[in-house]
């Protein structure tokens, strides 16, 4: 319908009601067409295999468009959130001749419950986030390893999942979308595997209210109003930069590469852990 409205305008008999232009991107000339699209919602339907390519990822990296990608593929070149993967419920047997009602729903729910007490943790990164969780788990004599990247988590879970007892995966949900399908099904098959996927470790620190900043809380409540996609390819990047800027020249000064030891001080540590489900809290 969006395509028909684009091509025929009012003669299509279709009205598109939106505050910004809605366009369809498809075909061999997608790069040339995309270069002329700004400030729009771009729909890309199934069958356009360029969405999997590095060229497409590169082309939209500095874009200010919003993209709706209709595909069953895992898009490994794009840092999309686990919370932005949807299915569509349809009703009506004869969809070409009868009115159809459709509803979007999030595919992936959380399988963490407060009663879980993991014996082992697998953390996505090997930087400050891992430093924090490794230190906290060591205090409780629990095992914590780094997967050294989100693409390695699945194999780590397969390796340790059957022997580690209750196992918890901690990864940055803001950019974990492409890895989610196989890991989610693995966690459903193995009831001892649970997933904790905050937006990012930096998002956790911001949520912990360590900073006396109303502006930070406003941003966390509605981040889509503040994050410029032309500058930040993922929300993870934005939250990191926000935390670095807000803590610069303070005792909470943050570095992604190595954890500032102040974040392990008892009161600060407990504030950070309070953001999580009851996995590592007293």
């Amino acid at each position: 319908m969006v395509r028909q409205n684009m091509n025929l305008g009012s003669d299509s008999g279709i009205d598109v009601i939106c505050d910004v232009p809605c366009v369809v991107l498809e075909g061999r000339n997608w790069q040339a067409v995309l270069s002329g699209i700004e400030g729009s919602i771009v729909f890309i339907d199934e069958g356009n295999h360029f969405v999997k390519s590095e060229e497409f990822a590169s082309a939209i990296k500095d874009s200010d468009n919003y993209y709706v990608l209709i595909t069953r593929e895992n898009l490994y070149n794009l840092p999309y959130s686990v919370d932005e993967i949807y299915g569509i419920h349809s009703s009506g047997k004869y969809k070409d001749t009868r009115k159809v009602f459709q509803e979007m729903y999030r595919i992936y729910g959380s399988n963490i419950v407060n009663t879980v007490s993991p014996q082992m943790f697998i953390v996505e990164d090997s930087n400050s986030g891992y430093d924090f969780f490794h230190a906290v788990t060591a205090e409780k004599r629990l095992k914590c390893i780094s997967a050294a990247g989100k693409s390695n988590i699945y194999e780590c879970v397969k390796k340790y999942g059957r022997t580690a007892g209750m196992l918890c995966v901690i990864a940055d949900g803001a950019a974990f979308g492409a890895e989610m399908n196989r890991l989610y099904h693995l966690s459903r098959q193995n009831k001892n595997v649970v997933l904790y996927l905050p937006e990012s470790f930096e998002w956790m620190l911001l949520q912990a209210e360590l900073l006396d900043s109303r502006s930070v809380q406003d941003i966390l409540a509605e981040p889509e109003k503040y994050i410029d996609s032309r500058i930040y390819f993922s929300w993870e990047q934005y939250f990191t930069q926000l935390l670095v800027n807000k803590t610069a020249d303070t005792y909470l000064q943050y570095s992604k590469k190595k954890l500032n030891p102040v974040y392990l001080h008892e009161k600060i540590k407990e504030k950070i852990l309070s953001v999580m489900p009851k996995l590592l809290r007293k």
Side-chain angles (χ1 to χ4, degrees):
M1 289 190 292
V2 173
R3 184 188 299 112
Q4 290 179 40
N5 178 267
M6 283 176 57
N7 293 336
L8 300 175
S10 59
D11 291 340
S12 67
I14 296 168
D15 290 328
V16 176
I17 302 172
C18 187
D19 292 336
V20 298
C22 294
V23 300
V24 174
L25 183 67
E26 58 190 347
R28 295 181 178 179
N29 298 321
W30 66 267
Q31 287 173 296
V33 174
L34 182 59
S35 65
I37 300 174
E38 295 181 354
S40 302
I41 300 176
V42 180
F43 293 85
I44 304 176
D45 206 352
E46 287 189 291
N48 290 287
H49 298 297
F50 60 79
V51 296
K52 298 188 297 182
S53 68
E54 292 183 13
E55 290 79 10
F56 177 70
S58 177
I60 70 171
K61 190 170 184 179
D62 301 319
S63 164
D64 66 348
N65 300 311
Y66 184 97
Y67 294 87
V68 180
L69 311 178
I70 305 167
T71 179
R72 292 175 174 84
E73 303 284 350
N74 298 312
L75 307 176
Y76 292 103
N77 290 310
L78 299 178
Y80 56 99
S81 171
V82 296
D83 290 332
E84 297 303 329
I85 304 173
Y86 297 88
I88 301 176
H89 283 306
S90 297
S91 64
K93 184 176 180 182
Y94 304 104
K95 294 184 174 57
D96 291 331
T97 58
R98 297 174 61 181
K99 191 171 183 178
V100 177
F101 296 92
Q102 295 174 329
E103 179 184 15
M104 303 286 285
Y105 65 96
R106 280 181 174 162
I107 291 178
Y108 301 115
S110 171
N111 67 336
I112 278 190
V113 292
N114 285 338
T115 55
V116 170
S117 297
Q119 285 80 54
M120 180 176 180
F121 290 80
I122 296 177
V123 181
E124 173 187 338
D125 68 20
S126 55
N127 300 311
S128 287
Y130 172 71
D131 290 344
F132 177 82
F133 290 113
H134 184 265
V136 173
T137 53
E139 292 175 1
K140 301 178 182 295
R141 298 183 180 180
L142 301 173
K143 188 172 183 179
C144 180
I145 66 169
S146 168
K150 61 185 177 182
S151 61
N152 298 325
I153 289 179
Y154 180 78
E155 293 301 326
C156 284
V157 173
K158 285 184 66 177
K159 179 178 179 180
Y160 295 103
R162 294 184 179 180
T163 60
M166 185 61 68
L167 186 155
C168 178
V169 173
I170 302 177
D172 294 341
F176 201 70
E179 305 293 336
M180 190 59 179
N181 184 42
R182 59 180 184 167
L183 183 61
Y184 184 76
H185 288 294
L186 184 61
S187 73
R188 297 299 293 267
Q189 294 166 9
N190 298 277
K191 299 302 182 181
N192 66 312
V193 177
V194 294
L195 311 177
Y196 176 56
L197 305 173
E199 293 283 344
S200 68
F201 177 64
E202 291 77 19
W203 173 89
M204 286 183 60
L205 300 185
L206 293 165
Q207 283 282 3
E209 299 186 2
L210 304 174
L211 304 168
D212 185 16
S213 173
R214 177 59 186 272
S215 64
V216 168
Q217 297 310 310
D218 289 342
I219 291 170
L220 293 174
E222 296 180 296
E224 66 278 4
K225 291 185 177 181
Y226 298 88
I227 302 175
D228 188 340
S229 61
R230 291 170 297 183
I231 301 173
Y232 303 100
F233 199 29
S234 75
W235 284 17
E236 176 189 7
Q237 293 177 349
Y238 174 79
F239 290 129
T240 298
Q241 192 59 53
L242 177 63
L243 183 62
V244 168
N245 291 344
K246 290 292 185 180
T247 60
D249 300 322
T250 74
Y251 75 103
L252 289 169
Q253 185 163 332
Y254 180 77
S255 167
K256 191 171 183 67
K257 289 187 177 181
K258 186 174 178 60
L259 185 69
N260 180 342
V262 74
Y263 289 103
L264 293 174
H265 289 182
E266 193 64 24
K267 288 185 178 180
I268 294 176
K269 178 182 67 178
E270 289 303 320
K271 276 192 171 185
I272 298 169
L273 293 176
S274 70
V275 175
M276 302 176 63
K278 295 178 181 178
L279 297 170
L280 287 167
R281 292 156 65 186
K282 292 180 180 179

